Amino acid sequence: MRYLPKSESDREVMLRQIGVKSIDDLFAAIPPEYRLKGDLKIPRAYAESEIVEFFRDCATGSAQGYATFLGAGAYSHYRPVVIDSLVSRGEFFTAYTPYQPEIAQGTLQSIFEFQSMICELTGMDVANASMYDGSTGAAEALMMAARLTGRHKSVVATSVHPEYREVIATYARYQGMPISTVAYGKNGRVDLDALEKGIDNETAGVLIQSPNFFGTIEDVAAIADLVHKKGALLIVSIAEAVSLGIVKPPVEADIVSMEAQSFGVPLGFGGPYCGVMATKDKFVRQMPGRLVGQTLDRNGKRGFVLTLSTREQHIRREKATSNICTNQALVALMCSIFMTVYGREGLKDLAKQNLAKAHYAAGEFKKAGATLLFDGAPRFNEFVILTKTDPYAINDKLLGQRIIGGFPLKKFYPDLGNASLWCCTETTAKASIDAAAKEVAL
Amino acid sequence: MNKKIRKATTHISQNEVLLFERSSAGKKAYELPPLDVPEVDPATLLGAQARQDLGHMPEVSEVEIIRHFTRLSTWNYAVDHGMYPLGSCTMKYNPRVNEVVARLTGLAEAHPYQPERISQGALRILKMLSEQLIEITGMDAITLQPAAGAHGELTGILLVRAYLESLGNPRKKVLIPDSAHGTNPATAAMAGYAVENLKSNAAGMVDIASLVAQVNEDVAALMLTNPNTLGVFEQEIHKIAEVLHAKGALLYMDGANMNALVGKTRPGDFGVDVMHLNLHKTFSTPHGGGGPGSGPVACKKILEPFLPSPVVVTKPDGTLGFDYNRPKSLGRVRMFYGNFGMHIRALAYIMANGPDGLRQTTEDAVLNANYIRKGLEGAYDLPYKTPTMHEVVFSDHIQSQKGIKTGDIAKRLIDYGFHPYTVSFPLVVHGAIMIEPTESESKESCDMFVEAMKDIAEEVEEHPEFVLEAPHNTRISRLDETMAARKPILRWKPQSEAAGK
Ligand SMILES: Cc1ncc(COP(=O)(O)O)c(C=O)c1O
């Protein structure tokens, strides 16, 4: 009970002061038949050293020492050490939502900076303080489009991350929001003819991802044109945030829904990550999530506060734009620090290395005999290959060399057969690429 | 001799500018390793999709980054500084070992799609945490996928919906007491239900007669917080469950206040069908300036088939894996498996406590709240005299006679070195002062808090204007929130652009 700052005699004095005989008197409101008689059946208290030992044991044999070609919505980028040294400051990680701005300016100013940098990178006017992740953010963006247009249908590209699409289906089901899909063409991009046919005058929002799940960069401008002609809104989801260092931002979109995990957030077996939503000024009042704004104090000094909260659940209850309350603030801070470390030039250099590695790998895999799918459109750091051998068998062989191979696509796209999705980042060594190329040949 | 003395009015660390204002071309804080593959030309590879420049992204050096964020951090108040009695939020101590184990390489660098064969340790953590939370809540099954409390609520209500649908009728309404947190009604709406308000009785509890009158075949569930947001245990909880069950409706429990119950009683035993937990409240995962959280949802057997996919299972060969083949599942509520980093921390917390520690924690949390209640009775109005569990709700009724509101008292409390309590929630108490000390406060800090609150009550009598102007000892004074909302400035812009608008 090392976390409890009381002695037995403290407790006795306090009970006496309250005027009760025993602690159980304070639990008298709980009907006796529901009071636990014995101990919870959980293990005894562990010493700190035992806890560390237990988790070390869990960590052994997992991830450490493996090279990886996995991307598919979670990316392995180097995390500058200043990130953890700063977010480990108790002033940041043991505070909560900045409801009292006079003693929360650290959190507030850093969120304002986060919002500003996300705007710079995405080309949007305004960004929120974070959403849970890219998948829930995408679902909420579609709901936002429905509120903005007064229409109810959505169109989602099948080249959007399949797990995002599953989450969207869950959220949309009871919003009275039918969802139709639009397929990808031979080059992996959204099929524009199909899209044109897929949108009608009841379509509120169209969701695409770029780079999409196959790593292909969409022609956002052309898609936006088509979507806007039909009076619908375009939502662009970005799962690989580092792409923004070198890929044109989706300025033609109405809403950008991003997963910022790539910006210095540990892979962490899938979470916590950092969703964020950005949009045009004119749409801000329908945006979900917290927003930080600039203002002045009584002496005219610049300061920051949570603002436009009449959109939110604590004010609007069932009429709120979303039920989100707790968000991903500390993860957003990690992203801010990452964006600052690399900055204006570094994000470009970093993205360029990703591009070069993936380009080299795709070339080597092709030389080795694998077929490169969707080769007709630009890509960022992921690409799809088709192999004669089952990709799971290829991956089994690579795992023996402590290399985690690409993501077999048949799990989500059975018709793509033996295709698999490979990702290279700045952390992927040429030697690993060359070793993998030998196996994909078979 | 008239030597001019130059002295800064405040320390420079108190005037840290925005990152963008620190930036100048050519400064940098990174160095990439040499590229071991041939260089590429983005314009050739990306064509029209190549980006030309990154606008006004900052350019600063590493030391400036460290100073910038360190300075900002010192402008925050946090649990590490002192008492943070923000009611309903359970601002308890965040153990350091949790942070260490969550950052172990094998866990922090595990890719969600890496083969199960090398994910056994991570799967073991998910399984153990699931089992222990099931035991703690007295429920039968659980999902760890939801990312926060509100997300758990949505998952839980969708579970109810999927279950009722399987019986042929999802029903139309969800009942929510007037004392409920805003996320409850917002959640019900997202799950496609109409919200019907349920009035509390004079004791601050669900009024059974109103409940009986309102529950019918259109009601899918009641969303109940227990102890409720007044810190009051719903004594007739079993009766409530019976009334609902008799009409085929389910009992949802918002578990935000589990810190009052762990080790003392179990929702599964007192009739709850489905509930969420906030690992960032009850189980010590840090609040992080607003998140991340984690909101596991525990349920009874009847709801298990509908849980989000995937679930962790033991496979025939004895290893652990994910089961995606769940035909009745409500679907997914988040990609991957939830906020795993928070799962690690919560498990470490449970392990550090064991059954005795968890029980003692709950007892101390309730002891502290009652001790503070006793100390402040008389000085502040206590609208509900019903016994208090882990938090107590006073009102500003006495002080408002002098024109001082709960928000003003909160600001003055800052000068005394405390984080304020929760202001103006729950809505059923006009001018609410919602205090949740948690178990992490010693007798001495509770005493100091009581003394501070009493001093403020006296100040209200003698110098109300002094309280109105608080805080006095902070870097900045009260901020103009009206101006922030009326002319929103939501991002930094270069001066030329900002002026042009
Ligand atoms: C009673 C109650 N219910 C629900 C929530 C929502 O939880 P979260 O912020 O984790 O989404 C909160 C806390 O903020 C709460 O106090």
Side-chain angles (χ1 to χ4, degrees):
Chain A
M1 287 169 226
R2 54 191 179 276
Y3 304 149
L4 299 175
K6 275 193 196 63
S7 67
E8 258 328 297
S9 78
D10 287 339
R11 294 188 177 103
E12 275 162 32
V13 174
M14 291 172 81
L15 286 171
R16 227 177 302 138
Q17 198 98 42
I18 295 166
V20 294
K21 286 205 190 63
S22 82
I23 187 71
D24 282 330
D25 295 345
L26 297 181
F27 289 86
I30 302 172
E33 62 271 36
Y34 304 125
R35 288 184 216 152
L36 275 179
K37 305 293 180 297
D39 283 350
L40 286 168
K41 291 179 195 63
I42 59 169
R44 65 162 173 89
Y46 278 48
E48 185 176 295
S49 54
E50 291 177 299
I51 293 172
V52 173
E53 177 91 15
F54 169 80
F55 285 100
R56 274 208 185 123
D57 190 45
C58 289
T60 309
S62 157
Q64 198 161 3
Y66 286 84
T68 184
F69 286 95
L70 282 174
Y75 300 91
S76 176
H77 292 287
Y78 177 72
R79 303 181 58 240
V81 297
V82 297
I83 295 175
D84 274 350
S85 88
L86 288 167
V87 302
S88 297
R89 289 186 66 88
E91 296 92 330
F92 281 131
F93 89 88
T94 78
Y96 199 19
T97 309
Y99 295 123
Q100 297 288 345
E102 296 86 351
I103 47 169
Q105 284 300 303
T107 296
L108 286 160
Q109 183 168 327
S110 70
I111 295 173
F112 185 79
E113 292 171 340
F114 173 79
Q115 292 174 182
S116 304
M117 286 193 276
I118 295 293
C119 289
E120 289 294 334
L121 286 178
T122 57
M124 293 287 111
D125 299 328
V126 41
N128 69 10
S130 69
M131 303 296 289
Y132 300 137
D133 74 335
S135 69
T136 57
E140 296 230 22
L142 285 169
M143 287 156 63
M144 175 174 159
R147 290 192 298 273
L148 285 167
T149 56
R151 298 175 173 191
H152 68 289
K153 290 186 187 167
S154 294
V155 177
V156 178
T158 55
S159 49
V160 169
H161 194 301
E163 292 200 12
Y164 285 28
R165 288 188 281 130
E166 289 176 34
V167 172
I168 290 164
T170 308
Y171 272 65
R173 200 168 302 137
Y174 307 111
Q175 293 292 311
M177 184 195 278
I179 293 189
S180 56
T181 54
V182 54
Y184 50 89
K186 278 219 162 51
N187 60 3
R189 281 180 160 180
V190 167
D191 178 338
L192 293 184
D193 290 338
L195 180 62
E196 168 115 56
K197 290 193 196 87
I199 309 174
D200 62 27
N201 57 12
E202 291 177 333
T203 305
V206 173
L207 174 73
I208 63 161
Q209 180 181 321
S210 184
N212 68 23
F213 190 66
F214 307 125
T216 304
I217 299 164
E218 298 284 358
D219 186 349
V220 176
I223 294 172
D225 237 20
L226 209 154
V227 171
H228 291 153
K229 269 196 197 114
K230 303 248 184 171
L233 299 181
L234 177 64
I235 301 152
V236 176
S237 165
I238 301 171
E240 170 44 300
V242 166
S243 66
L244 284 168
I246 209 159
V247 176
K248 202 165 150 273
V251 288
E252 301 86 355
D254 300 287
I255 306 171
V256 173
S257 167
M258 196 161 124
E259 169 52 68
Q261 177 271 328
S262 283
F263 286 164
V265 182
L267 283 168
F269 207 50
Y273 289 175
C274 181
V276 49
M277 201 187 282
T279 190
K280 308 276 188 201
D281 270 334
K282 60 183 174 194
F283 298 140
V284 67
R285 287 183 196 264
Q286 287 301 335
M287 180 147 81
R290 294 186 179 129
L291 279 168
V292 170
Q294 181 181 313
T295 187
L296 299 173
D297 80 350
R298 287 178 175 180
N299 305 316
K301 194 166 177 173
R302 176 172 69 183
F304 302 91
V305 292
L306 290 172
T307 193
L308 300 183
S309 52
T310 48
R311 303 164 295 112
E312 293 180 72
Q313 47 75 28
H314 60 282
I315 312 268
R316 291 293 294 281
R317 299 176 80 85
E318 64 268 29
K319 296 195 180 65
T321 51
S322 166
N323 69 343
I324 192 168
C325 179
T326 292
N327 57 18
Q328 301 289 119
L330 196 73
V331 193
L333 178 60
M334 290 185 188
C335 298
S336 280
I337 300 168
F338 181 96
M339 288 188 274
T340 312
V341 166
Y342 284 102
R344 186 162 185 261
E345 296 304 317
L347 283 173
K348 213 185 298 173
D349 290 350
L350 177 68
K352 215 168 138 186
Q353 283 211 351
N354 278 254
L355 190 69
K357 300 261 189 176
H359 182 70
Y360 173 75
E364 291 304 298
F365 286 17
K366 197 171 164 180
K367 265 194 248 162
T371 308
L372 207 51
L373 290 187
F374 311 133
D375 205 15
R379 297 181 297 265
F380 177 53
N381 66 359
E382 287 174 284
F383 59 92
V384 176
I385 58 165
L386 188 62
T387 48
K388 289 182 205 81
T389 322
D390 184 328
Y392 285 103
I394 294 173
N395 285 354
D396 275 349
K397 282 202 178 151
L398 285 172
L399 205 58
Q401 302 171 48
R402 294 183 85 73
I403 293 173
I404 301 172
F407 180 78
L409 285 167
K410 62 177 78 171
K411 180 176 174 194
F412 294 126
Y413 301 89
D415 49 329
L416 286 180
N418 279 344
S420 53
L421 174 68
W422 294 68
C423 175
C424 295
T425 71
E426 76 283 3
T427 65
T428 315
K430 176 175 180 291
S432 307
I433 296 172
D434 294 341
K438 289 203 183 92
E439 299 300 336
V440 300
L442 305 174
Chain B
M1 297 291 285
N2 211 344
K3 231 199 229 159
K4 204 168 176 189
I5 299 171
R6 295 238 216 138
K7 176 176 159 293
T9 48
T10 50
H11 190 273
I12 42 164
S13 68
Q14 297 299 300
N15 289 315
E16 178 65 12
V17 297
L18 287 164
L19 276 169
F20 307 94
E21 297 158 348
R22 276 253 167 273
S23 171
S24 58
K27 290 197 283 191
K28 59 182 222 171
Y30 72 97
E31 185 71 55
L32 287 163
L35 193 59
D36 60 1
V37 299
E39 294 262 2
V40 292
D41 175 24
T44 314
L45 290 184
L46 303 179
Q49 299 301 325
R51 181 172 200 154
Q52 301 313 330
D53 76 284
L54 268 72
H56 302 287
M57 287 300 281
E59 292 174 82
V60 290
S61 63
E62 181 169 323
V63 60
E64 290 171 295
I65 294 173
I66 290 289
R67 287 213 180 123
H68 177 77
F69 288 102
T70 301
R71 287 172 179 178
L72 293 196
S73 78
T74 65
W75 304 348
N76 275 358
Y77 186 97
V79 174
D80 281 4
H81 288 122
M83 188 163 170
Y84 204 131
L86 196 64
S88 211
C89 298
T90 316
M91 299 302 292
K92 61 170 68 186
Y93 169 62
N94 307 124
R96 287 323 194 254
V97 69
N98 298 2
E99 300 305 309
V100 169
V101 296
R103 286 179 168 83
L104 290 169
T105 309
L107 301 174
E109 292 185 3
H111 191 285
Y113 288 148
Q114 72 183 23
E116 285 175 358
R117 232 176 312 159
I118 59 168
S119 305
Q120 291 299 304
L123 287 159
R124 196 157 116 218
I125 291 166
L126 292 175
K127 182 153 184 289
M128 279 181 66
L129 179 65
S130 297
E131 286 168 355
Q132 295 183 15
L133 293 177
I134 284 171
E135 166 66 13
I136 288 166
T137 54
M139 308 297 279
D140 300 320
I142 197 164
T143 174
L144 303 179
Q145 211 175 81
H151 203 210
E153 291 171 30
L154 179 63
T155 309
I157 294 299
L158 290 178
L159 271 178
V160 169
R161 185 162 193 131
Y163 166 74
L164 292 174
E165 242 162 23
S166 77
L167 301 180
N169 177 8
R171 303 190 172 201
K172 298 193 176 76
K173 307 188 277 206
V174 169
L175 298 182
I176 298 179
D178 46 13
S179 57
H181 194 261
T183 50
N184 292 187
T187 293
M190 282 176 81
Y193 284 113
V195 172
E196 191 168 299
N197 219 48
L198 190 63
K199 278 224 168 336
S200 313
N201 64 20
M205 294 188 264
V206 168
D207 185 58
I208 301 289
S210 314
L211 181 71
V212 171
Q214 282 177 259
V215 178
N216 56 33
E217 268 74 27
D218 280 343
V219 173
L222 165 67
M223 287 182 94
L224 189 67
T225 309
N226 193 25
N228 64 28
T229 58
L230 295 164
V232 170
F233 189 88
E234 296 281 353
Q235 291 191 13
E236 297 189 278
I237 185 72
H238 200 251
K239 183 87 191 134
I240 293 170
E242 265 174 29
V243 171
L244 292 163
H245 292 157
K247 298 278 184 186
L250 300 186
L251 177 55
Y252 182 93
M253 186 176 117
D254 178 330
N257 294 339
M258 266 306 276
N259 213 41
L261 306 182
V262 174
K264 300 294 284 184
T265 184
R266 307 192 308 167
D269 296 340
F270 57 65
V272 170
D273 299 298
V274 49
M275 67 179 292
H276 78 262
L277 295 162
N278 296 65
L279 300 187
H280 48 299
K281 298 180 180 177
T282 318
F283 297 93
S284 86
T285 75
H287 282 80
S294 175
V297 171
C299 66
K300 289 283 171 63
K301 198 111 215 132
I302 49 162
L303 298 175
E304 184 174 11
F306 309 99
L307 283 173
S309 164
V311 297
V312 178
V313 292
T314 307
K315 297 194 295 192
D317 65 359
T319 63
L320 298 172
F322 287 111
D323 179 15
Y324 289 88
N325 183 17
R326 305 195 35 95
K328 289 188 175 169
S329 167
L330 64 86
R332 236 180 208 294
V333 296
R334 189 197 177 282
M335 63 174 166
F336 309 131
Y337 327 113
N339 282 347
F340 179 68
M342 301 298 119
H343 304 150
I344 298 173
R345 290 169 173 88
L347 181 60
Y349 170 83
I350 296 171
M351 289 171 77
N353 277 288
D356 307 346
L358 288 182
R359 184 173 48 230
Q360 186 68 61
T361 295
T362 303
E363 290 178 355
D364 281 5
V366 172
L367 180 66
N368 279 353
N370 278 279
Y371 185 71
I372 286 170
R373 169 174 163 158
K374 186 78 182 178
L376 293 181
E377 250 178 308
Y380 290 87
D381 169 59
L382 185 67
Y384 292 92
K385 311 286 186 282
T386 322
T388 289
M389 299 291 289
H390 70 303
E391 65 192 353
V392 56
V393 182
F394 288 95
S395 89
D396 63 9
H397 183 70
I398 299 173
Q399 290 70 28
S400 62
Q401 319 291 326
K402 292 271 179 184
I404 301 297
K405 301 273 170 31
T406 173
D408 303 314
I409 300 164
K411 296 295 184 210
R412 183 64 181 138
L413 202 47
I414 292 171
D415 289 331
Y416 283 84
F418 295 94
H419 192 282
Y421 46 76
T422 290
V423 175
S424 305
F425 175 77
L427 304 177
V428 285
V429 172
H430 189 79
I433 294 175
M434 185 198 217
I435 304 167
E436 182 184 8
T438 84
E439 72 280 5
S440 304
E441 299 312 318
S442 65
K443 176 177 173 298
E444 293 73 28
S445 63
C446 292
D447 286 336
M448 275 172 13
F449 177 79
V450 166
E451 216 172 291
M453 286 291 286
K454 282 177 151 173
D455 282 355
I456 296 170
E458 273 175 35
E459 287 174 352
V460 170
E461 294 301 317
E462 287 156 22
H463 308 286
E465 67 294 338
F466 195 67
V467 177
L468 265 183
E469 279 159 23
H472 300 275
N473 302 333
T474 46
R475 213 190 117 250
I476 50 166
S477 59
R478 281 198 209 187
L479 288 149
D480 189 343
E481 305 200 8
T482 316
M483 175 179 148
R486 200 168 288 155
K487 281 193 184 158
I489 303 175
L490 304 171
R491 62 177 291 194
W492 173 87
K493 277 192 184 138
Q495 255 172 3
S496 51
E497 277 178 46
K501 240 193 133 174

